Amino acid sequence: MEHSRISIIKGDIVEQHVEAIVNAANNSLLGGGGVDGTIHKAAGPGLLEECRKLNGCATGEAKITEGHALPASYVIHTVGPVWKDGKHRENELLSQCYHNCLRIAKKYGLRTIAFPSISTGAYRYPVERASRIAISEIVRFLGSDESIRNVIIVCFNDEAFRCYSAALDEIPEHRTNM
Ligand code: APR
């Protein structure tokens, strides 16, 4: 969906030529598997060195570093909630991740940012629910901000691509079959 300031693509987030990519990190910010591992591998050891100085990150919060060897100039690290049962503020915390990443991007004057599907891998957040929360927070934020020009959601598998595309299609001004 390219019709607006939000685009959904399938691909690898480390290859995105945007100003900032978002990392789905853990509370230590010292790397891990999944997209966290791929980003650290592509960015090189300088990223971990910089992360060591950040003293971790609370769930729902976000912290920014340089992009190091990545094409992106910055990495915004956020820690999504681990899915339990939907009764432990998972929705609220996931929404906070997207909000805080966008808030930092705006503060740094960034115009393009790419997100992975936060919490839907090792943290087992159901991707259909997560996609609706992500899209509604991104749309809400962009509704009150003109500076961020393009938010890209980089899906690593077909299921995520389908869910995020469907979630975007549910937003009236983005509906493609008008
Ligand atoms: N580009 C884009 N998306 C990716 C990539 C990639 N290179 N690699 C994985 N993904 C996708 C996964 O398919 C999933 O849809 O990112 C989404 C998030 O999955 P995880 O990386 O497992 O992240 P998350 O579920 O938030 O769990 C975070 O996993 O890697 C550890 O250190 C991390 O402890 C933290 C936990």
Side-chain angles (χ1 to χ4, degrees), residues 11-14 24-26 31-38 80 116-124 154-157 160:
D12 185 333
I13 197 162
V14 298
N26 58 57
V35 72
D36 193 2
T38 308
S117 172
I118 300 168
S119 279
T120 63
Y123 283 3
R124 300 189 316 283
V154 185
C155 299
F156 206 52
N157 57 53

Side-chain angles (χ1 to χ4, degrees), residues 128-149:
E128 206 245 333
R129 289 176 71 124
S131 61
R132 281 206 302 274
I133 288 165
I135 293 294
S136 60
E137 176 52 33
I138 292 166
V139 167
R140 197 194 60 74
F141 190 96
L142 294 185
S144 63
D145 167 79
E146 284 302 310
S147 61
I148 296 176
R149 296 313 307 150

